[in-house]
Every structure is written in C-alpha cells, then in structure tokens.
Amino acid sequence: MIKEKCGIIGIQGKTDDTVNLTFTLMNSLQHRGQEGTGIAFFKNDNFDRIIVKGLVKDLFSLNEIQKINGATSIIGHIRYSTTGSDEISNLQPLISKTIDGKTIALAHNGNVVNALSIRNSLMKKGHSFSTTTDSEVILHYIVKEYNKTLDIILSLENTIKTFEGAFSIVVLFENKVIALRDKYGFRPLVFGKKDKTWFIASEDTALRSIDVFEYEEVLPGEIVVFEETKITREKVLQSETLNHCIFELVYFAKPSSNVFNESVYKFRY
C-alpha cells in the first residue's frame, strides 16, 4: 500500500515559548502521520536533531526536547510512510554534511516518481544510502549540487527542475529555513508570521492553532528563504497545468483546513 501523507513544519526566529509553540504546531498535524516524528534545529550556531518512533506527544515527553528552547531555526516532520519501511532510520528530518562541513537537514511530504532512477545514478557516482526513502534521494541530490557550487539556492533550483512528482519540503541550513514546492503544487504548504517569527506548515489549521491568522502559500515551483530579518521568494518553475492531489481534500487534510483555496469541510460535505 502506498501511503502519501506526512506533515512538515518550520519555524524561523526567536520565540518566548519554543517548546509549546513547536508542539502545538506539530500536534495539529498529527492526523497526517502516526509512525514517527522528529525535529532538527540550530541554536547558537550548533545543530541538533531529535527523532522518535511514535506520536508528537512521545517526542515532546523526552527530557532533551528542552534543548530547542532558544533555537532560532527549526524544522519538524510527522511521518506516514510514502516509500520505505517504518524503521527508525527512515524517520525525518534527514541530515547530511556538505563538502565544506555544513549540515543540511530536510523534511519532505510527498512521493517522487523518478527517485529510483536518480538513486541508481547517484549510487554509480559513489553515493551510499542509509534509508529506503525517496526523501534521502532528494537530500543526496541537494548535497551533490551544493558541493559543485557552494550555493544552496542554486542546488534547490536544480532539485525542483530535476525531480518529478509530489514534494513539499522544508530545509534547515545555516540558521535559515527554506521552503520549496514541486512545480505542480501536488501537496499544500503555507506560511505566516507572528510577532517577528515565521511559521511554516503543511496545513493552515496548524498556523491558526498558534494564532497565526494571516498566511499565504508557498507557490508551486517556488523557493522561499526565511532568515532572521527577512524572507526572499524565488519562482523557479511552475507547470502550466497545476495538479493538486484531490485526496488532500477527500481524506488527508483536517476538516478545519483550507487546502488549494477550498474549505476541506465544505468540499467533503
């Protein structure tokens, strides 16, 4: 059975209540997956990751979750397996090192249809994989492209142009959170701001759960870079025909969400 849900979140900026805000944001997406969950974050220029099999409440019951207090950049993932098993090695965010010693973390919602051919091509070039997910293929490709140019945005541009299928992604890199979406807009991804902090989530109901009521979409084929004082948006490649996944409206999303400019509740009714 192919399973294609998953939920992703991102936070950029300091907050006074990091643990509760992150928990609330992620817990409001619990319906998108129950196999495992995790976060990756930068704090004082140091990177860390925490993952656990189980629910969001299991992750936030760990004592070490308090480490995220004071973090300025966070991404999180709620897993419902698309490709690969439910082994703990497949839990996200996934992480990798670049040629200049930097860390890239990635959380992905979707299913990439040309992942196997790209994986085989990368393996022929010496890449080795520790998971069975298409998400790791995307991460390896981003790192490969970054190592050529030392330019994270250029590597993400090439990713959007190369991969086919559904991918809404948040990337953590050097105190930045970067969101990107496939050119067809298969999966939803929205962002909004509260005080001086940016929040990103798979569904707008997650943003409303933390009192973020003004938000907008990461557009299909767009890269949005969230930094401490600004965001930058770059439209890379958008298909002439958008292909939204109807199962977001029929089954995946929470009834209180608005997906693809449709009320999920009204659509189901």
Side-chain angles (χ1 to χ4, degrees), residues 33-267:
Q34 292 82 41
E35 293 178 4
T37 184
I39 57 170
F41 57 96
F42 266 100
K43 179 179 177 180
N44 301 325
D45 294 324
N46 294 313
F47 172 86
D48 206 347
R49 180 180 80 135
I50 306 169
I51 58 172
V52 67
K53 291 184 74 171
L55 304 178
V56 173
K57 68 178 180 63
D58 300 318
L59 177 69
F60 281 80
S61 67
L62 300 175
N63 289 332
E64 62 181 321
I65 205 70
Q66 296 298 325
K67 290 180 181 178
I68 68 173
N69 276 324
T72 53
S73 308
I74 302 169
I75 64 172
H77 187 264
I78 299 96
R79 178 169 172 75
Y80 187 79
S81 62
T82 22
T83 60
S85 68
D86 63 353
E87 294 176 359
I88 196 165
S89 62
N90 286 327
L91 295 185
Q92 300 184 36
L94 300 174
I95 59 173
S96 185
K97 286 284 188 182
T98 63
I99 197 169
D100 55 353
K102 295 171 182 174
T103 301
I104 297 178
L106 172 146
H108 165 223
N109 168 220
N111 194 27
V112 176
V113 296
N114 61 343
L116 182 59
S117 62
I118 295 173
R119 179 188 180 105
N120 290 338
S121 174
L122 290 170
M123 289 182 74
K124 289 177 182 177
K125 295 176 181 177
H127 289 251
S128 61
F129 292 82
S130 57
T131 80
T132 56
T133 68
D134 54 356
S135 305
E136 190 184 15
V137 179
I138 298 172
L139 178 60
H140 273 252
Y141 187 87
I142 291 170
V143 172
K144 176 183 76 73
E145 292 297 305
Y146 176 86
N147 288 343
K148 292 179 184 177
T149 62
L150 303 185
D151 187 326
I152 188 64
I153 302 304
L154 185 58
S155 69
L156 296 177
E157 289 175 0
N158 292 336
T159 298
I160 289 176
K161 294 173 183 177
T162 301
F163 283 85
E164 290 290 337
F167 54 90
S168 288
I169 292 171
V170 284
V171 171
L172 182 62
F173 179 77
E174 279 199 315
N175 286 320
K176 298 184 186 74
V177 174
I178 306 169
L180 59 147
R181 199 167 165 213
D182 67 75
K183 62 185 177 183
Y184 299 105
F186 278 112
R187 295 274 179 265
L189 193 61
V190 294
F191 66 92
K193 192 176 186 181
K194 180 180 179 182
D195 299 324
K196 296 182 179 180
T197 304
W198 292 97
F199 297 92
I200 309 149
S202 292
E203 296 179 34
D204 61 5
T205 193
L207 298 183
R208 292 198 303 274
S209 74
I210 57 169
D211 297 331
V212 176
F213 298 107
E214 293 185 9
Y215 45 83
E216 53 190 305
E217 279 190 295
V218 176
L219 299 176
E222 184 180 43
I223 298 171
V224 185
V225 182
F226 299 85
E227 300 181 73
E228 187 173 346
T229 58
K230 64 176 182 177
I231 67 167
T232 55
R233 306 183 69 167
E234 179 182 352
K235 185 176 177 182
V236 178
L237 180 67
Q238 186 178 101
S239 171
E240 292 182 5
T241 304
L242 300 182
N243 292 288
H244 300 319
C245 176
I246 196 170
F247 269 85
E248 288 284 350
L249 290 161
V250 171
Y251 175 66
F252 293 164
K254 190 175 279 189
S256 56
S257 290
N258 294 285
V259 174
F260 313 135
N261 297 315
E262 294 265 11
S263 162
V264 175
Y265 172 80
K266 289 181 179 178
F267 187 91

